[in-house]
Amino acid sequence: MSIIKIDMNSPEFQAELEKTVRFTDKVINQFGWEYNPEDMINEGVQMGLARNKMMYNKRFCPCFMVEEVEGKPKSVEDRVCPCTPAIEKEIPEEGVCHCQIFCTPEYAAKKRIEMGMEEVVHQHSRGLTKEECEVLVNNSELDSDELISLLEARELGMVKFKLVDVREYMEWQMGHIKGADQLIPTSSFFNTLNESQLDKNENIIVYCHVGSRSAHVARILKDMGYTKIGNLTHGIISYDGEIER
């Protein structure tokens, strides 16, 4: 099974996307929630929901891996939008669902204030040393600044690793981290992994939208004998570096 390529511009996908937007509008009205003030997050999740509806005939949450169980597609943690964990735990306790599209009015108001504040830019006083690179690249969890620093160090030949995107082809088209080496979508994970010919002893950093699928993939890779796996903890939405489209 090769990478499934859904054309974002096809009439079929655009029709499904329109249905999905109406669906998320209905969810918002039903629960008294609001959309995330960051439109790019909402658009990405809506497109992911539409993609999953076309692929699996269910609106599985796009931030969770879909596996085949007894011949049928099943989302990890039974995440079908609007999912039970979001309704019962995430939104009541944290103000926002895991995929971050739905939130409480209070969370949305706070987010709008944060977005209006002057963005604090992390200043690097110096580059990493080679020893620091080796320590950092072996961490199991990485944040945005750490990945940016490692990519800069890799450009200088100070460290070696592979950066792997485990989202879907359509998400890759919408935008991926500059410097990403390979796309291994979760929908065709094992076949694409075999084709990728990754070395089980090389450093590999994985990322997805918000960090859930990639964390799941990291666990699978470790179980398969890959020894040096890192995860971008909060996914591409947390990444402050350059994005390619």
Side-chain angles (χ1 to χ4, degrees), residues 17-242:
L17 181 59
E18 287 181 14
K19 292 179 185 176
T20 297
V21 172
R22 290 197 295 270
F23 166 78
T24 56
D25 286 346
K26 184 178 178 180
V27 171
I28 288 283
N29 293 328
Q30 178 183 351
F31 291 97
W33 296 335
E34 289 191 24
Y35 282 116
N36 194 309
E38 294 192 55
D39 292 335
M40 286 186 64
I41 289 177
N42 304 327
E43 180 184 354
V45 174
Q46 286 167 334
M47 294 185 80
L49 289 169
R51 178 198 70 230
N52 283 347
K53 180 67 172 175
M54 289 183 69
M55 288 173 59
Y56 307 115
N57 201 31
K58 281 190 177 182
R59 290 194 178 95
F60 292 124
C61 292
C63 299
F64 288 82
M65 194 167 181
V66 178
E67 301 174 326
E68 189 171 299
V69 179
E70 296 179 354
K72 295 181 180 180
K74 183 178 176 64
S75 171
V76 171
E77 297 187 17
D78 290 324
R79 295 273 186 160
V80 181
C81 188
C83 61
T84 300
I87 296 169
E88 295 184 351
K89 183 174 176 64
E90 293 164 359
I91 295 179
E93 294 183 7
E94 301 169 27
V96 64
C97 71
H98 189 89
C99 291
Q100 300 199 21
I101 182 173
F102 303 130
C103 59
T104 63
E106 294 78 12
Y107 181 95
K110 181 181 177 183
K111 188 73 174 178
R112 280 189 285 269
I113 292 172
E114 291 173 355
M115 290 169 65
M117 294 169 62
E118 183 178 355
E119 185 175 321
V120 178
V121 180
H122 183 78
Q123 299 294 328
H124 297 276
S125 60
R126 60 173 175 81
L128 295 173
T129 65
K130 192 164 185 177
E131 291 75 18
E132 289 169 336
C133 287
E134 289 303 319
V135 171
L136 190 57
V137 78
N138 283 292
N139 284 351
S140 60
E141 295 291 334
L142 298 158
D143 64 23
S144 171
D145 284 329
E146 289 169 336
L147 180 56
I148 290 170
S149 295
L150 283 173
L151 287 168
E152 290 173 352
R154 189 174 70 168
E155 283 282 319
L156 297 172
M158 297 172 64
V159 67
K160 292 182 179 180
F161 63 91
K162 293 283 179 62
L163 180 59
V164 176
D165 190 324
V166 301
R167 300 173 303 153
E168 299 301 318
Y169 174 75
M170 189 177 70
E171 293 174 280
W172 171 274
Q173 281 189 306
M174 291 171 64
H176 54 270
I177 293 175
K178 184 177 181 181
D181 299 289
Q182 288 179 300
L183 172 66
I184 304 181
T186 56
S187 62
S188 55
F189 179 72
F190 293 104
N191 290 82
T192 314
L193 177 64
N194 289 336
E195 295 168 5
S196 71
Q197 297 183 327
L198 293 174
D199 188 325
K200 288 190 174 183
N201 296 310
E202 69 181 327
N203 282 103
I204 299 167
I205 299 171
V206 293
Y207 75 90
C208 64
H209 183 63
V210 297
S212 297
R213 282 173 289 176
S214 54
H216 190 71
V217 164
R219 290 192 292 271
I220 292 173
L221 289 173
K222 288 174 183 175
D223 289 343
M224 293 176 67
Y226 289 82
T227 58
K228 301 174 182 177
I229 305 298
N231 177 44
L232 179 59
T233 304
H234 298 296
I236 194 172
I237 68 166
S238 71
Y239 186 70
D240 294 324
E242 191 170 349

